[in-house]
Amino acid sequence: SQQGEEDPQALSIQEGENATMNCSYKTSINNLQWYRQNSGRGLVHLILIRSNEREKHSGRLRVTLDTSKKSSSLLITASRAADTASYFCEYDYKLSFGAGTTVTVRA
Amino acid sequence: KAGVTQTPRYLIKTRGQQVTLSCSPISGHRSVSWYQQTPGQGLQFLFEYFSETQRNKGNFPGRFSGRQFSNSRSEMNVSTLELGDSALYLCASSRSTSGSTDTQYFGPGTRLTVL
C-alpha cells in the first residue's frame, strides 16, 4: 500500500506557539485530507484540500499543497492544550494513512 | 445526526479465540471501512464495504474478514486470535459511491486485548 509520510514524528511546543507538520506522498492525487486523533479515540476530519488548490484555511488551521513536491503541510496557529493529539494525512484513498505526527502542547 | 458507533468498546480475549466487532455507520452512509491501529504499525487499512460488497482490501491474512448488511451496518471477524492482534480497531463511514476519497467519519474504536 502507498502511505503518506508525516514529518516530524513528534512535536512538542508551548501553548500559543505555532505547530507545523508535513506530509509527503508518492503518486499524483486528486485531494488530500488531514485528520486529528485524540489519545485512543477515533479520527476527526479537519480539512480537505483538492489538487487544484494551493492553500486552504479553517479557523486556526492552514493547509498548503505543493503537487510539484508531492507534499502538504498543516499549520496550527496559536496552539492550545486541546490541540494535543496525533495528526494524520490521507490522500486519495483509504490505504494512504501515514504513521502520524504526535503534537504535545505544553501549558 | 448520530455518529458512527462501534460495539463493544473494549474486549479481552485469549489466543486462539475468535472475535466479532460491530459498526453502525452514519445514516445514509453506504461505505464502511475498517482499520487496525497499533503503536508499531500505525493505522492500517483492513477492508472497505459498499452496498454489502467488499470493494477494497488491505494486506491482512484471511483470519480477518468482514461483511456488510443491507442496512449498511458492518461486522468484522478475527479468527484464531494472536497476541499481535491486540489493537484499536476503527470503523469509518462515508457517503463515497465511486471509491475515491470522501470525508470519513470515524467511530470511537474497539480496543481489543489478546492475552
Side-chain angles (χ1 to χ4, degrees):
Chain A
S1 63
Q2 298 173 20
Q3 289 188 311
E5 298 286 337
E6 289 93 347
D7 170 66
Q9 288 188 331
L11 191 55
S12 180
I13 56 174
Q14 201 74 30
E15 202 165 25
E17 292 181 337
N18 296 342
T20 300
M21 60 210 85
N22 304 295
C23 169
S24 60
Y25 54 91
K26 297 177 182 175
T27 65
S28 297
I29 62 170
N30 292 315
N31 53 54
L32 184 145
Q33 304 190 71
W34 285 91
Y35 290 80
R36 181 188 74 226
Q37 183 182 34
N38 292 94
S39 181
R41 300 187 181 182
L43 280 69
V44 174
H45 180 258
L46 294 175
I47 197 164
L48 178 151
I49 187 165
R50 302 192 187 282
S51 61
N52 61 354
E53 297 174 314
R54 290 297 166 259
E55 187 171 311
K56 203 161 181 182
H57 296 253
S58 176
R60 294 183 297 110
L61 306 178
R62 182 173 79 102
V63 168
T64 61
L65 181 64
D66 187 334
T67 53
S68 66
K69 294 181 179 177
K70 291 188 170 55
S71 70
S72 174
S73 68
L74 170 66
L75 167 68
I76 305 172
T77 60
S79 62
R80 305 168 181 169
D83 296 326
T84 294
S86 291
Y87 293 82
F88 297 86
C89 68
E90 177 209 33
Y91 62 92
D92 269 6
Y93 206 61
K94 306 163 196 293
L95 293 164
S96 313
F97 277 96
T101 293
T102 299
V103 175
T104 303
V105 181
R106 306 185 308 273
Chain B
K1 190 183 266 190
V4 177
T5 58
Q6 291 186 246
T7 57
R9 292 292 312 279
Y10 302 91
L11 205 48
I12 298 175
K13 292 285 189 178
T14 57
R15 279 181 297 177
Q17 287 187 310
Q18 75 164 13
V19 67
T20 298
L21 310 182
S22 180
C23 172
S24 292
I26 290 172
S27 177
H29 286 190
R30 295 166 64 189
S31 168
V32 174
S33 297
W34 289 90
Y35 296 84
Q36 180 196 66
Q37 187 176 31
T38 59
Q41 298 296 318
L43 203 61
Q44 304 269 308
F45 172 71
L46 280 156
F47 29 65
E48 182 210 4
Y49 285 87
F50 181 81
S51 292
E52 302 179 64
T53 301
Q54 188 179 88
R55 184 159 68 176
N56 282 287
K57 189 176 187 302
N59 190 25
F60 277 81
R63 300 185 298 107
F64 292 81
S65 63
R67 59 178 175 168
Q68 187 180 34
F69 302 95
S70 58
N71 62 358
S72 293
R73 190 177 69 85
S74 177
E75 290 181 346
M76 67 162 282
N77 183 276
V78 187
S79 62
T80 319
L81 284 166
E82 301 176 0
L83 294 179
D85 297 333
S86 294
L88 180 67
Y89 289 88
L90 293 166
C91 163
S93 75
S94 73
R95 292 189 190 88
S96 175
T97 55
S98 66
S100 62
T101 296
D102 193 1
T103 297
Q104 296 191 79
Y105 296 84
F106 283 80
T110 293
R111 173 74 63 186
L112 172 65
T113 302
V114 182
L115 303 175

